[in-house]
């Protein structure tokens, strides 16, 4: 079972856990290179790990700078949703109109049962978050706060898009109003310094990396769109959980079709706006 992040930040934090996964076919590379060259490869992976951390710090800062400019738009949209809700006019048509005037955003209404009951993004409609108890605890706190709550970027639960989120509890404490902003619109600005480019370019530029993937807090892969529990082995998930919980690099090897693949999970901490920490876990080697 996928272990959700805990003991890393306070209970009222929305955890945006991403797992960057680099998988190197170590057995194959050792056979080709020989022992001495193989040890040199391991040294280069150590250097690559630190380089990756530096790259993540840069990406984090760039996203943060862009997020600050988005906050006002998110808050304005949520204020409009809140006013419409108070007037009894928060209809599906209202949300569609709001979406038409904010093309990079989607809008949601979450009820007290942690279910999305209204959404401008149809695949999310009806989604229930009971599979993520910590997140539900967070929603239970948001619903009591009739004010704008700002959160950092994360992978969408349903898609592989990187979004920024904002929340607001309704004035009567019955629903949560949510707005998301698709960061993909900044692709030209971010260029190579984005989460998307990191996952796609690293395997191309480094021949000994088989795959680089990102998992969100709920364990969904950005490459395949599948949940980690549906496509990874129990041993893989166990080491993933270990890296997330300890906040330390974990190295894990397994034999797949006669080839040894070695994976390095590399934790990276991102700081939220509410002075608490979320965890990006990178997985390398």
């Amino acid at each position: 079972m996928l272990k959700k992040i805990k003991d890393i930040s306070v209970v009222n934090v929305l955890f945006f856990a991403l797992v960057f996964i680099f998988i190197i076919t170590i057995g194959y590379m050792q056979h080709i290179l020989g022992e001495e060259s193989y040890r040199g490869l391991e040294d280069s992976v150590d250097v690559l790990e630190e380089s990756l951390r530096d790259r993540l710090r840069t990406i984090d800062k760039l996203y943060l700078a862009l997020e600050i400019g988005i906050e006002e738009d998110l808050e304005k949209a949520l204020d409009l949703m809140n006013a419409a809700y108070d007037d009894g006019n928060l209809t599906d048509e209202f949300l569609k109109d709001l979406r038409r005037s904010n093309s990079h955003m989607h809008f949601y209404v979450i009820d007290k049962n942690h279910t999305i009951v209204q959404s401008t993004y149809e695949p999310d409609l009806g989604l229930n978050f009971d599979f993520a108890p910590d997140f539900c605890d967070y929603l239970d706190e948001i619903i009591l706060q009739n004010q704008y709550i700002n959160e950092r970027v994360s992978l969408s639960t349903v898609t592989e898009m990187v979004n920024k989120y904002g929340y607001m509890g309704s004035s009567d404490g019955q629903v949560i109003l949510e707005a998301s902003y698709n960061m993909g619109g900044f692709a030209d600005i971010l260029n190579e310094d984005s989460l998307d480019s990191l996952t796609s370019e690293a395997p191309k530029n480094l021949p000994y990396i088989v795959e680089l993937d990102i998992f969100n807090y709920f364990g969904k892969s950005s490459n395949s769109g599948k949940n980690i529990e549906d496509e990874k082995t129990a041993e893989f998930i166990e080491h993933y959980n270990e890296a997330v919980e300890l906040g330390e690099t974990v190295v894990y090897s397994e034999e797949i079709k006669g080839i040894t693949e070695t994976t390095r999970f590399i934790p990276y901490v991102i700081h939220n706006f509410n002075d608490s920490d979320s965890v990006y876990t990178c997985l390398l080697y």
Side-chain angles (χ1 to χ4, degrees), residues 142-153:
I142 291 177
I143 204 169
L144 301 176
Q145 302 181 53
N146 186 224
Q147 62 183 13
Y148 174 65
I149 297 174
N150 187 29
E151 288 295 352
R152 293 294 310 275
V153 294

Side-chain angles (χ1 to χ4, degrees), residues 2-281:
L2 179 65
K3 191 177 185 68
K4 305 305 181 186
I5 299 174
K6 57 184 179 180
D7 300 327
I8 296 176
S9 57
V10 295
V11 71
N12 65 336
V13 179
L14 175 60
F15 302 104
F16 297 115
L18 304 185
V19 181
F20 296 78
I21 302 182
F22 299 74
I23 301 175
I24 301 175
T25 53
I26 294 299
Y28 179 74
M29 294 298 294
Q30 187 170 3
H31 173 73
I32 295 296
L33 297 173
E35 289 292 340
E36 185 173 347
S37 296
Y38 175 72
R39 285 194 295 271
L41 172 61
E42 288 186 311
D43 291 339
S44 71
V45 171
D46 290 337
V47 174
L48 181 58
E49 175 179 336
E50 188 54 40
S51 175
L52 175 65
R53 290 182 186 275
D54 290 339
R55 180 87 179 273
L56 285 170
R57 293 185 190 102
T58 299
I59 292 173
D60 184 7
K61 291 177 181 177
L62 287 172
Y63 272 120
L64 179 58
L66 293 171
E67 289 175 60
I68 292 173
I70 295 169
E71 293 168 25
E72 184 177 351
D73 292 337
L74 285 172
E75 185 171 6
K76 285 181 178 178
L78 287 169
D79 283 339
L80 290 172
M81 290 176 66
N82 186 52
Y85 179 84
D86 287 342
D87 293 338
N89 296 322
L90 190 58
T91 62
D92 291 342
E93 190 58 39
F94 176 90
L95 293 179
K96 290 178 182 178
D97 287 341
L98 193 59
R99 161 74 175 161
R100 281 190 280 267
S101 59
N102 296 274
S103 60
H104 291 297
M105 295 188 198
H106 275 295
F107 305 100
Y108 313 83
V109 178
I110 305 172
D111 68 10
K112 299 182 75 171
N113 296 317
H114 315 124
T115 300
I116 297 178
V117 294
Q118 288 179 263
S119 174
T120 56
Y121 186 68
E122 189 171 341
D124 278 339
L125 191 60
L127 178 66
N128 182 276
F129 293 104
D130 283 349
F131 63 88
D134 289 343
F135 183 64
C136 288
D137 289 343
Y138 179 71
L139 293 177
D140 290 340
E141 295 195 5
I142 291 177
I143 204 169
L144 301 176
Q145 302 181 53
N146 186 224
Q147 62 183 13
Y148 174 65
I149 297 174
N150 187 29
E151 288 295 352
R152 293 294 310 275
V153 294
S154 175
L155 286 179
S156 165
T157 306
V158 175
T159 71
E160 292 76 58
M161 296 184 296
V162 177
N163 294 326
K164 176 177 173 56
Y165 295 89
Y167 300 89
M168 181 179 291
S170 62
S171 56
D172 61 1
Q174 294 300 305
V175 298
I176 295 168
L177 311 174
E178 177 186 0
S180 69
Y181 193 105
N182 182 7
M183 301 297 289
F186 295 107
D188 291 341
I189 297 175
L190 291 167
N191 197 7
E192 296 181 356
D193 290 314
S194 69
L195 297 179
D196 291 337
S197 66
L198 186 63
T199 58
S200 62
E201 293 303 321
K204 294 178 183 178
N205 298 330
L206 301 169
Y208 47 86
I209 293 181
V210 175
E211 182 183 10
L212 166 61
D213 202 352
I214 298 178
F215 289 85
N216 70 2
Y217 168 62
F218 304 110
K220 181 181 177 182
S221 162
S222 67
N223 284 350
S224 69
K226 296 180 180 179
N227 191 281
I228 188 173
E229 294 178 323
D230 296 330
E231 63 175 355
K232 298 299 183 182
T233 65
E235 291 79 11
F236 184 99
I237 295 172
E238 177 184 353
H239 288 86
Y240 164 90
N241 289 334
E242 180 183 1
V244 169
E245 183 156 290
L246 296 178
E248 299 175 356
T249 296
V250 172
V251 179
Y252 159 63
S253 297
E254 63 179 333
E255 187 169 307
I256 300 176
K257 297 180 180 180
I259 297 177
T260 300
E261 292 188 349
T262 301
T263 303
R264 183 180 296 198
F265 300 79
I266 308 169
Y268 175 78
V269 176
I270 183 172
H271 298 284
N272 286 326
F273 291 114
N274 54 5
D275 296 326
S276 56
D277 294 335
S278 299
V279 178
Y280 283 63
T281 306

